[in-house]
């Protein structure tokens, strides 16, 4: 598919993640390369958000090291890191009284001086980010006036304006309908094609498998399994995400469905973890 | 444009504050005492220049300081209903003042030493509440819960104050109760240099935080992703708003509502949450509103002066109710 660059943009090596004494999962390794649109999939409570926060340097790894372009994330200053890695979350924000342009312009903060004065470069980067995301027609609008999808686009534009090589999105689709999800995923693919490394966590298995270039499964047993969606499906890894009798993975629908509906779709191979033999997995890089 | 309008309005209110008071002085005589103090009536000169002018200046600067303190708290805690009085910072400062006034003051001679110890007590009390708030904000993620914790801290300090009152000599209690009603008259010509000397630089310094405050509008995760150390930033912001609240409280008593309400009036007037506009707007609006409150305290005319805390809720409560009712329509809220 694509040539493999030698250094991952973002790498977690043998991580134990958790808060202080409480370890949620250990032995986790993950690599995101420039050009990747990687989706982190897993059931609730498995530690997706904790892993994301550990990879972005928001949370210290209990054990193991996070590398950003081959260097320990701890060795970067906050300022340096803010120019390499941008996050997008769905945290509620009090930014309703900013215009879209002001919000996207906040992405320039790591690049501007003490008073945040925007130079020509900063204005150009802000405008370019709004244009790429397709929100430029709303530049004068207040953030409060945006739909959920538009607001998420504006936050992604803010991340683009930050001009980082890595963008990490924590559950970016939480409040979005399917159309908005697809639109944003296409946008992320386009952005990655320009050489950025993108990692997002999601509950939307089917869209992630269709559109991401790489899927990382975080199983309830605390393992990370990564590969291209096609390979993970062929190797029947997906059922490991929800090891339950009444939830099966349909390869045709590329989604989890209730076990009893599986038989209604004649040609569908739908199975759960107990029924389908797992194929041998070739570890991903 | 809006800044010019508010400045003009403030000057007008300042002029009115010099003209109206418990003693009737004709406006032309007030004018004369200002332009040619030498030729004016000595008593009137004393009233206008050494009582009304310091009081008006003190109310303007107190208002600006409290309003900015409220704005910093609202953004720091991501909570539009935060304010120095509602989070218990003012009552913490009051508690510090109560300790000094009811039990320390007897031992300390009057004069500079006394009011410096009152300032010290107010700062210590405000700092104690701020530390509690930082502690609670690290465990209570919901902003409503933090507000409730702040209100509880307020009750606790009030109860400590009541206990202190109960055991204190009655003369001290009376002066403490009068102080607690809130008044800008306590800032005379003698106190004004210290008062302005601390408040003006601290209030003005808040503009230095405009850039990180804008980042904080997006929440702590985004702010730290933009290169800030959020705990350090929060400590700075709470420190500045604590000092502002403590100083105003030490001199003028616990003034309610200004810190909570004025940032909202400023956001509505200027239609923005951008702190580069909002901080100066809040200062000016805070000064203006408090000057107006101070002017209303002399409403009874000859029969006396109303406590400031009888006036601020009359302006503050309707605004807060309006905001709560219309919060879906107000852009900056969502």
């Amino acid at each position: 598919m694509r040539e493999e660059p030698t250094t991952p943009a973002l790498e977690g090596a043998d991580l134990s993640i958790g808060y202080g004494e409480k370890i949620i999962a250990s032995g986790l390794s993950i690599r995101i390369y420039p050009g990747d649109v990687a989706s982190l999939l897993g059931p609730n409570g498995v530690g997706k958000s904790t892993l994301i926060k550990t990879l972005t340097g928001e949370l210290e790894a209990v054990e193991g090291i996070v590398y950003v372009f081959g260097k320990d994330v701890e060795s970067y200053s906050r300022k340096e890191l803010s120019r390499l890695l941008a996050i997008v979350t769905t945290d509620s924000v009090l930014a309703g009284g900013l215009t879209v342009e002001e919000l996207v312009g906040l992405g320039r903060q790591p690049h501007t001086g003490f008073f945040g004065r925007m130079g020509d470069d900063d204005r150009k980067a802000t405008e370019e980010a709004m244009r790429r995301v397709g929100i430029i027609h709303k530049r004068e609008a207040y953030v409060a006036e945006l739909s959920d999808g538009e607001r998420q686009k504006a936050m992604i534009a803010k991340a683009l304006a930050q001009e980082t090589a890595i963008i990490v999105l924590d559950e970016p689709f939480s409040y979005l309908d399917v159309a908005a999800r697809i639109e944003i995923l296409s946008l992320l693919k386009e952005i990655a094609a320009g050489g950025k490394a993108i990692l997002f966590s999601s509950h939307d298995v089917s869209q992630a498998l269709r559109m991401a270039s790489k899927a990382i499964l975080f199983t309830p047993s605390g393992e990370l399994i990564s590969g291209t969606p096609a390979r993970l499906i062929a190797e029947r890894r997906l059922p490991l995400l929800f090891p339950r009798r009444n939830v099966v993975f349909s390869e045709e629908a590329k989604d989890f469905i209730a076990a009893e509906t599986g038989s209604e779709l004649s040609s569908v191979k739908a199975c759960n973890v107990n029924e389908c033999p797992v194929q041998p997995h070739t570890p991903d890089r | 444009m809006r800044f010019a309008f508010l400045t003009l309005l403030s000057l007008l209110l300042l002029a009115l504050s010099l003209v109206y008071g418990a003693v009737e002085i004709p406006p032309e005589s007030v004018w004369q005492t200002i332009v040619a103090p030498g030729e004016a009536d000595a008593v009137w000169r004393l009233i206008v220049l050494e009582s009304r002018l310091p009081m008006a200046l003190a109310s303007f600067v107190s208002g600006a300081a409290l309003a900015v303190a409220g704005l910093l708290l609202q953004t720091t805690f991501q909570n539009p209903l935060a304010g120095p009085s509602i989070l218990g910072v003012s009552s913490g400062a009051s508690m510090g003042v109560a300790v000094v006034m009811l039990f320390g003051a007897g031992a300390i001679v009057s004069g500079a030493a006394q009011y410096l110890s009152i300032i010290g007590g107010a700062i210590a009390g405000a700092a104690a509440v701020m530390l509690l708030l930082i502690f609670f904000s690290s465990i209570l993620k919901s902003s409503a819960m933090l507000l409730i914790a702040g209100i509880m801290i307020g009750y606790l300090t009030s109860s400590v104050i009541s206990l202190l009152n109960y055991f204190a000599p009655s003369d001290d209690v009376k002066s403490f109760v009068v102080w607690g009603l809130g008044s800008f008259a306590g800032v005379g010509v003698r106190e004004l240099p210290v008062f302005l000397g601390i408040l003006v630089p601290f209030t003005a310094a808040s503009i230095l935080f405009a850039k990180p405050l804008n980042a904080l509008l997006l929440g702590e995760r985004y702010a730290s992703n933009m290169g800030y150390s959020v705990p350090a930033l929060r400590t700075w912001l709470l420190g500045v708003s604590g000092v502002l609240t403590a100083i105003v409280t030490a001199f003028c008593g616990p003034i309610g509502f200004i810190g909570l309400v004025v940032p909202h009036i400023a956001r509505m007037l200027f239609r923005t949450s951008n702190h580069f506009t909002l901080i100066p707007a809040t200062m000016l609006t805070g000064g203006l509103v408090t000057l107006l409150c101070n002017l209303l305290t002399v409403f009874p005319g000859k029969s006396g002066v109303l406590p400031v805390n009888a006036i601020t809720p009359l302006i503050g409560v309707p605004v807060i109710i309006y905001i709560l009712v219309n919060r879906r329509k107000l852009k900056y809220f969502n």
Side-chain angles (χ1 to χ4, degrees):
Chain A
M1 294 226 290
R2 85 189 123 67
E3 292 303 306
E4 284 178 9
T6 41
T7 320
L10 185 59
E11 178 179 7
D14 207 14
L15 296 176
S16 292
I17 58 168
Y19 297 86
E21 299 284 283
K22 196 180 157 228
I23 292 176
I24 294 173
S26 39
L28 306 177
S29 291
I30 184 171
R31 285 174 177 169
I32 316 291
Y33 290 84
D36 273 346
V37 180
S39 69
L40 178 64
L41 300 170
N44 274 340
V46 75
K48 287 198 298 288
S49 198
T50 312
L51 177 58
I52 292 265
K53 284 180 183 165
T54 309
L55 290 171
T56 56
E58 291 171 76
L59 205 62
E60 224 172 293
V62 182
E63 270 171 56
I65 298 174
V66 172
Y67 295 100
V68 175
F69 289 105
K71 261 181 73 186
D72 188 342
V73 71
E74 307 274 337
S75 70
Y76 292 99
S77 72
R78 288 173 189 286
K79 199 85 177 177
E80 287 168 336
L81 196 60
S82 69
R83 291 173 183 164
L84 285 172
L85 186 152
I87 60 164
V88 176
T89 74
T90 39
D91 295 352
S92 68
V93 298
L94 273 185
L98 296 180
T99 63
V100 170
E101 189 167 5
E102 284 172 321
L103 176 80
V104 176
L106 289 181
R108 298 304 299 164
Q109 283 209 354
H111 303 273
T112 56
F114 188 77
F115 281 104
R117 185 176 289 280
M118 301 268 276
D120 284 343
D121 287 356
D122 301 305
R123 266 188 286 274
K124 213 176 285 172
T126 305
E127 194 161 320
E128 174 62 20
M130 288 189 289
R131 188 163 288 131
R132 278 188 77 179
V133 169
I135 197 92
I136 191 131
H137 60 291
K138 296 261 182 179
R139 63 191 298 170
E140 303 287 330
Y142 283 104
V143 173
E145 295 165 340
L146 302 180
S147 70
D148 289 333
E150 288 170 335
R151 191 182 289 215
Q152 200 57 279
K153 277 189 192 172
M155 295 313 305
I156 291 172
K158 188 234 122 220
L160 282 181
Q162 211 168 327
E163 292 186 323
T164 59
I166 308 167
I167 299 179
V168 177
L169 305 92
D170 196 353
E171 301 280 354
F173 308 129
S174 298
Y175 305 110
L176 304 186
D177 59 28
V178 178
R181 287 175 191 205
I182 292 174
E183 202 178 345
I184 291 202
L185 267 166
S186 317
L187 178 66
L188 293 180
K189 279 177 88 165
E190 238 180 85
I191 294 166
K196 289 187 195 285
I198 292 179
L199 170 67
F200 68 95
S201 60
S202 176
H203 284 290
D204 192 337
V205 175
S206 69
Q207 297 306 338
L209 291 180
R210 283 193 179 89
M211 301 189 71
S213 67
K214 181 178 194 172
I216 298 153
L217 311 182
F218 200 160
T219 68
S221 57
E223 268 182 291
L224 287 184
I225 306 168
S226 49
T228 61
R231 202 170 77 215
L232 292 175
I233 293 171
E235 289 174 357
R236 298 197 171 139
R237 297 282 151 180
L238 270 304
L240 293 171
L241 282 185
F242 296 101
R244 284 181 228 164
R245 181 153 286 282
N246 53 352
V247 176
V248 295
F249 182 76
S250 152
E251 291 179 15
E252 191 182 66
K254 291 192 174 163
D255 207 350
F256 288 90
I257 57 175
E260 57 267 30
T261 53
S263 52
E264 291 163 15
L265 307 158
S266 58
S267 65
V268 176
K269 257 192 285 172
C271 48
N272 71 18
V273 71
N274 301 317
E275 290 156 0
C276 289
V278 170
Q279 304 297 308
H281 177 61
T282 348
D284 182 65
R285 290 197 285 265
Chain B
M1 193 52 221
R2 275 168 281 200
F3 278 112
F5 176 72
L6 290 182
T7 309
L8 219 68
L9 211 59
S10 300
L11 289 174
L12 181 73
L13 285 175
L14 181 66
L16 287 175
S17 314
L18 297 183
V19 173
Y20 288 100
V23 178
E24 239 177 272
I25 306 176
E28 55 274 18
S29 307
V30 172
W31 179 247
Q32 200 196 2
T33 53
I34 294 166
V35 290
E39 299 160 30
D41 179 291
V43 176
W44 286 358
R45 190 175 65 216
L46 198 73
I47 291 175
V48 172
L49 295 183
E50 298 195 12
S51 166
R52 289 181 188 174
L53 184 62
M55 193 166 155
L57 287 177
S59 69
F60 186 86
V61 173
S62 301
L66 288 175
V68 165
L71 175 63
L72 299 187
L73 290 174
Q74 288 175 4
T75 307
T76 307
F77 287 121
Q78 290 272 297
N79 193 329
L81 292 177
S85 46
I86 211 161
L87 285 177
V89 184
S90 299
S91 30
S94 300
M95 186 175 72
V97 172
V99 171
V100 174
M101 271 175 85
L102 300 178
F103 291 97
I108 304 163
V109 284
S110 56
Q114 190 187 18
Y115 79 70
L116 283 180
S117 60
I118 288 179
I119 294 175
I123 290 182
V129 171
M130 283 296 188
L131 287 177
L132 273 177
L133 285 175
I134 293 175
F135 170 71
F136 281 124
S137 74
S138 67
I139 359 180
L140 303 171
K141 290 297 168 205
S142 141
S143 53
M145 291 298 150
L146 185 67
L147 267 194
I148 293 171
I151 293 167
M152 290 302 128
I153 294 172
Y155 278 123
L156 199 65
T157 52
S158 304
S159 127
V160 172
I161 291 171
S162 302
L163 288 172
L164 290 174
N165 271 323
Y166 182 82
F167 291 109
S170 57
D171 286 354
D172 290 348
V173 171
K174 180 159 187 294
S175 61
F176 179 75
V177 168
V178 170
W179 169 87
L181 295 174
S183 165
F184 299 110
V187 188
V189 177
R190 197 164 50 100
E191 292 86 3
L192 203 60
V194 178
F195 189 73
L196 298 183
I198 302 173
L199 282 186
V200 171
F202 268 90
T203 309
S206 63
I207 195 78
L208 302 178
F209 295 101
K211 182 181 170 184
L213 282 167
N214 279 345
L216 270 179
L217 285 177
L218 301 183
E220 293 181 6
R221 288 187 73 184
Y222 279 112
S224 73
N225 180 243
M226 281 185 261
Y228 299 104
S229 159
V230 174
L233 183 58
R234 189 154 64 179
T235 308
W236 272 103
L237 292 170
L238 295 185
V240 171
S241 53
V243 169
L244 292 175
T245 309
I247 299 298
V248 174
T249 307
F251 283 92
C252 310
I255 310 285
F257 282 100
I258 300 295
L260 171 62
V261 167
V262 170
H264 289 286
I265 301 177
R267 286 189 197 97
M268 284 191 275
L269 282 177
F270 287 80
R271 298 176 57 76
T272 186
S273 301
N274 188 337
H275 289 81
F276 282 104
T277 308
L278 196 53
I279 291 173
T282 302
M283 284 178 200
L284 195 50
T285 314
L288 177 69
V289 168
T290 315
L291 201 51
L292 177 68
C293 290
N294 183 53
L295 192 59
L296 293 175
T297 60
V298 299
F299 181 70
K302 287 192 184 105
S303 56
V305 178
L306 297 171
V308 177
N309 279 327
I311 307 290
T312 53
L314 294 181
I315 293 178
V317 172
V319 174
I320 290 299
I321 301 280
Y322 173 83
I323 288 164
L324 291 177
V325 171
N326 291 287
R327 64 178 295 171
R328 300 221 166 271
K329 276 194 271 169
L330 297 169
K331 306 255 181 305
Y332 64 83
F333 239 110
N334 306 279

